[in-house]
Amino acid sequence: MADKVEVPEVEITKEQLLGWYRQMVRIRRVEELAAKAYTLRKIKGFCHLYIGQEAIAVGSHAAVDAKDDLISAYRIHGQVLARGGTAREVMAELFGKQAGITKGIGGSMHMASKKLHFWGGYGIVGGHVPLGLGSAFAHRYNESGQISLTFFGDGAAQQGAVYESLHMAQLWKLPAVFFCENNYYAMGTSLDRQSYLTDMSRRGDGVGMTRWQFNAFDVVDVYKNVKAAADYARSGKGPVILEGVTYRYRGHSMSDPAKYRAEGELEEKKQKSDGIELAADRLRDDFGVSDADLAKIKVEIDEEAQDAYDFADNAPEPDEDALYDYVYAPAEVE
Amino acid sequence: MATLQLREALRRAMNEEMRRDERVFLMGEEVAYYDGAYKVSQGMLKEFGDKRIIDTPIAENGFVGLGVGAAMAGLRPIIEVMTWNFSLVAYDQIINGAAKVFQMTGGEYSVPMVIRGPNGAAENLGSQHSQALESIFAHFPGLHVVSTCDPADSYGLLKTAIRDPNPVIFMESELMYGYKGEVPDEEYLIPFGKAKIVREGTDVTLVSWNKQILNCERAADELKKEGISAQVLDLRTIRPLDEQALFDAIGKTHRMVVVQEGFPFAGVGAEIVARVTEGAFDALDAPILRITNRDINQPYATNLEQLVMPSVRRIVEAARAVVNR
């Protein structure tokens, strides 16, 4: 039988919550400007926006160590920003510029940073989950005390690679947290049409893995649930699979008008469970932060996002002489 | 100089590299307690323990992907596939993952990983266990592809593969694991991309690799009786391809036959013909012929299987045809 884990309440300071609020606003604003740039053809290719799900990235990254490895799928702009990537390097990557976080080679789906222990985005649905398993294996092998945190969606939960990874992580009790961000749509197919079980944490049941589901709209809820899971995995007891219930406001990608949603569904989610508004409520109610202070943060972030946009727009294109530099890694110096 | 079986030479390479570098581990189906499906890893569990010699569930997609992740995290995985046919279950992890991670992360993460196991037909194993799959890995930038069965070469190339900072597809041969050869006692590494002239000749070059080299040598013996001097060139690594060795060979013999296991369509043989034709057309005195598996999935019965595979007779006929043209 899998363990039951109690998720303890946590004390959050005003400074913590203000930081998270700022980070969520940053993600949303950078992506809104990215959407604008996309319509102007300054950003091309695929562009999967995270708007609506910001609380998950921000709460999760706050709950793990800087040296834990994180890996996610193709909806990653918000993940990179939450992990410490700058608005400039994210925007420049989207614009396909040398100053981008992966030098304009990766693009929207592939932003990685060794310094941030962020393994990046992955364009094959579910295909990155075995890599998160490999990270956990390495942490155990090296007795590093670190864990891996692997994000995937409700769509990816159907892939065999995910099952195999969950199973081996549990078989070997590896220090891994698997986090299913259930945003209710696998591209355009709603959860009830693409999954027999709709609690994706139950993917853990078949392998005996500790698992639970929680509402992931409130950043504080995300923080405490991921912290409990990370503490459990780090203690050597084995991996955890979490499902965070969330909702994506935009289409699957920029080319998707999302006509498959039920009428009123999006508006209801925005009104009742917007992560940024929930955090604003807490800041006002619990810490006495004024509307003016919150508005000031938004103005600062607007400026930062616009700066990133202008920076990316004017930055040089990638170096053509370096075209072949990243096909094969150079030999290690002994 | 010791006489070693292919499996012993491979094991010696892995043992030495594991003693040298704590980051190296071996993972795969039956590699530990069973001592390896083909006994390549015999005794390794005893020396290194189950932290570093790891049996897996039968889940290639998962454990090959685990290897990619472990390599990104700084370890040096050797992942054994029981046969390359099973690697197709993990093809996504190799092609979309291992081959692309270094480039798509802008050089942030590399994948120093070896995936190794037997490739090509053994005997009477039917359609799904008899394929030679070099071409479908060599197609992709980001991968190295080694295919060899000579014990001394396999030893030196596997050590290079384990130390290489990139994913290496290392193809052995089920039929040849017991094949013996002289292996020098001192440690050595063989660089990728260096073909080897197994036999000198002046009239025609037989280009091949892995166990078809033996058929080429037998064919060269037959041809010698007819007064035809055949050179045998062992490519050893498919990617990087030793283009210069091919140009040198055609510059010398002016005639060439490529002997390749696996299907003809878009095979490695086709790539060699294209490269030599593009790069050394003026040196050619005859079209380059290919001897490959016939374009058919492997049948079980012995007589049918022998019809399908490259054979000494087919190689001799092709060599005669280009020489007597």
Side-chain angles (χ1 to χ4, degrees):
Chain A
M1 263 303 276
D3 290 345
K4 285 273 178 213
V5 174
E6 288 296 317
V7 178
E9 286 304 319
V10 290
E11 286 287 314
I12 302 296
T13 66
K14 178 180 161 185
E15 284 64 38
Q16 268 179 312
L17 192 54
L18 271 173
W20 297 347
Y21 176 80
R22 177 183 286 275
Q23 196 64 287
M24 287 192 288
V25 173
R26 177 185 282 120
I27 292 169
R28 186 164 299 182
R29 195 61 194 134
V30 166
E31 287 211 317
E32 284 169 352
L33 281 186
K36 178 185 151 192
Y38 194 88
T39 60
L40 297 172
R41 299 284 294 148
K42 289 175 185 290
I43 295 174
K44 298 171 186 173
F46 292 133
C47 188
H48 308 93
L49 300 181
Y50 198 61
I51 292 173
Q53 301 177 220
E54 297 93 339
I56 290 184
V58 173
S60 297
H61 291 259
V64 296
D65 287 357
K67 287 184 177 173
D68 292 336
D69 290 321
L70 286 98
I71 186 163
S72 186
Y74 48 83
R75 196 178 300 287
I76 52 159
H77 316 152
Q79 296 278 6
V80 184
L81 290 165
R83 189 62 174 170
T86 67
R88 278 188 169 198
E89 61 192 355
V90 169
M91 197 68 91
E93 188 62 36
L94 291 170
F95 275 64
K97 300 299 180 70
Q98 179 73 36
I101 193 163
T102 40
K103 305 178 182 72
I105 301 171
S108 167
M109 295 187 287
H110 308 296
M111 299 187 185
S113 166
K114 208 166 192 173
K115 178 182 74 191
L116 299 174
H117 287 263
F118 189 80
W119 286 28
Y122 210 81
I124 307 298
V125 176
H128 64 296
V129 178
L131 275 57
L133 169 75
S135 162
F137 175 88
H139 286 310
R140 228 274 290 283
Y141 190 96
N142 292 328
E143 297 170 21
S144 68
Q146 307 304 137
I147 66 165
S148 73
L149 173 55
T150 303
F151 295 95
F152 59 99
D154 45 303
Q158 315 303 357
Q159 286 278 20
V162 175
Y163 169 77
E164 292 182 25
S165 303
L166 296 176
H167 175 238
M168 274 182 269
Q170 177 69 7
L171 177 66
W172 295 324
K173 296 278 181 183
L174 298 180
V177 175
F178 299 94
F179 189 143
C180 179
E181 294 187 68
N182 182 355
N183 67 16
Y184 278 83
Y185 290 96
M187 197 166 161
T189 306
S190 59
L191 183 63
D192 58 330
R193 289 194 298 123
Q194 66 101 0
S195 194
Y196 183 73
L197 295 176
T198 53
D199 174 350
M200 292 302 173
S201 76
R202 290 187 63 187
R203 288 288 180 277
D205 288 346
V207 300
M209 190 185 292
T210 295
R211 60 95 180 170
W212 69 91
Q213 182 193 46
F214 68 98
N215 280 317
F217 298 105
D218 182 337
V219 66
V220 178
D221 288 339
V222 176
Y223 174 78
K224 71 184 181 193
N225 278 282
V226 174
K227 189 154 192 340
D231 287 348
Y232 180 89
R234 207 183 302 280
S235 74
K237 290 179 194 156
V240 176
I241 177 170
L242 294 179
E243 178 194 322
V245 175
T246 183
Y247 195 76
R248 119 166 103 69
Y249 291 1
R250 302 296 184 106
H252 167 70
S253 69
M254 279 300 296
S255 60
D256 168 21
K259 288 178 179 166
Y260 41 79
R261 292 187 212 269
E263 200 178 328
E265 182 182 279
L266 175 61
E267 287 65 34
E268 190 192 338
K269 293 285 181 191
K270 281 184 178 176
Q271 270 175 17
K272 289 188 181 162
S273 48
D274 182 82
I276 293 175
E277 292 309 315
L278 292 172
D281 291 345
R282 276 184 182 270
L283 284 164
R284 278 188 291 257
D285 299 348
D286 299 352
F287 298 108
V289 176
S290 70
D291 286 340
D293 287 342
L294 294 177
K296 187 163 166 270
I297 290 175
K298 285 198 169 171
V299 169
E300 287 167 8
I301 294 296
D302 276 349
E303 285 169 5
E304 184 187 340
Q306 188 61 49
D307 164 75
Y309 184 102
D310 295 339
F311 169 79
D313 204 12
N314 296 313
E317 291 184 319
D319 180 7
E320 294 183 5
D321 292 338
L323 182 62
Y324 284 92
D325 284 6
Y326 301 104
V327 182
Y328 291 96
E332 216 171 73
V333 181
E334 303 212 12
Chain B
M1 198 81 99
T3 302
L4 296 183
Q5 294 182 358
L6 170 61
R7 62 165 62 84
E8 294 168 334
L10 293 165
R11 187 188 311 143
R12 181 183 148 193
M14 288 195 287
N15 280 335
E16 287 176 6
E17 291 306 303
M18 287 190 65
R19 288 172 201 137
R20 176 182 172 271
D21 186 345
E22 282 287 325
R23 300 171 301 175
V24 180
F25 67 91
L26 173 67
M27 172 179 275
E29 292 155 2
E30 311 294 358
V31 297
Y33 288 85
Y34 195 90
D35 265 339
Y38 299 105
K39 306 301 169 207
V40 174
S41 57
Q42 193 162 43
M44 290 179 71
L45 173 67
K46 201 171 169 194
E47 175 170 354
F48 298 105
D50 60 8
K51 180 191 169 184
R52 298 180 70 195
I53 308 293
I54 304 145
D55 283 329
T56 65
I58 300 171
E60 287 86 1
N61 198 20
F63 70 74
V64 171
L66 184 156
V68 178
M72 288 173 73
L75 298 182
R76 296 271 170 155
I78 304 170
I79 304 293
E80 179 173 309
V81 286
M82 200 182 288
T83 137
W84 275 99
N85 296 285
F86 300 166
S87 80
L88 298 182
V89 177
Y91 199 49
D92 172 59
Q93 291 299 323
I94 300 170
I95 303 306
N96 284 318
K100 295 179 176 48
V101 161
F102 185 68
Q103 188 178 1
M104 78 185 181
T105 64
E108 290 284 302
Y109 287 94
S110 57
V111 182
M113 169 189 195
V114 178
I115 311 173
R116 48 156 289 273
N119 179 60
E123 285 172 338
N124 307 93
L125 298 183
S127 280
Q128 295 180 326
H129 282 249
S130 301
Q131 300 171 102
L133 299 175
E134 286 91 344
S135 65
I136 63 164
F137 293 98
H139 184 65
F140 293 94
L143 299 176
H144 292 311
V145 179
V146 179
S147 185
T148 177
C149 69
D150 174 75
D153 288 348
S154 296
Y155 164 82
L157 286 163
L158 183 54
K159 285 174 72 85
T160 300
I162 294 168
R163 294 187 199 184
D164 196 274
N166 296 288
V168 180
I169 304 299
F170 198 94
M171 293 176 156
E172 302 157 5
S173 167
E174 183 180 336
L175 275 186
M176 304 300 286
Y177 279 129
Y179 175 60
K180 289 177 183 164
E182 297 285 309
V183 181
D185 296 328
E186 71 275 11
E187 183 183 42
Y188 60 94
L189 280 77
I190 297 173
F192 292 160
K194 296 284 175 206
K196 180 174 83 171
I197 295 173
V198 178
R199 176 187 302 221
E200 296 278 359
T202 53
D203 297 329
V204 58
T205 301
L206 307 176
V207 179
S208 195
W209 57 92
N210 210 319
K211 71 173 184 285
Q212 291 304 327
I213 287 291
L214 276 77
N215 276 338
C216 290
E217 291 199 78
R218 289 184 203 114
D221 289 340
E222 292 296 315
L223 290 163
K224 194 175 176 184
K225 293 175 194 163
E226 303 173 17
I228 295 173
S229 166
Q231 171 164 284
V232 178
L233 183 67
D234 184 350
L235 289 177
R236 304 195 290 190
T237 58
I238 307 302
R239 189 182 184 109
L241 186 66
D242 190 350
E243 214 171 39
Q244 192 56 51
L246 292 167
F247 294 158
D248 292 347
I250 201 69
K252 178 180 170 191
T253 63
H254 305 285
R255 293 170 170 86
M256 185 173 276
V257 174
V258 184
V259 181
Q260 171 221 297
E261 264 194 66
F263 307 120
F265 193 104
V268 175
E271 178 69 18
I272 292 167
V273 174
R275 297 268 191 118
V276 175
T277 307
E278 286 166 359
F281 184 75
D282 292 342
L284 289 167
D285 282 349
I288 303 170
L289 296 185
R290 287 176 292 162
I291 297 299
T292 70
N293 276 37
R294 296 185 198 277
D295 202 6
I296 175 179
N297 290 311
Q298 200 88 343
Y300 161 71
T302 303
N303 65 326
L304 297 179
E305 180 162 75
Q306 285 173 353
L307 270 178
V308 164
M309 298 290 293
S311 64
V312 174
R313 184 181 57 77
R314 288 173 67 199
I315 298 167
V316 167
E317 284 170 4
R320 260 188 223 134
V322 295
V323 169
N324 297 327
R325 188 173 176 272

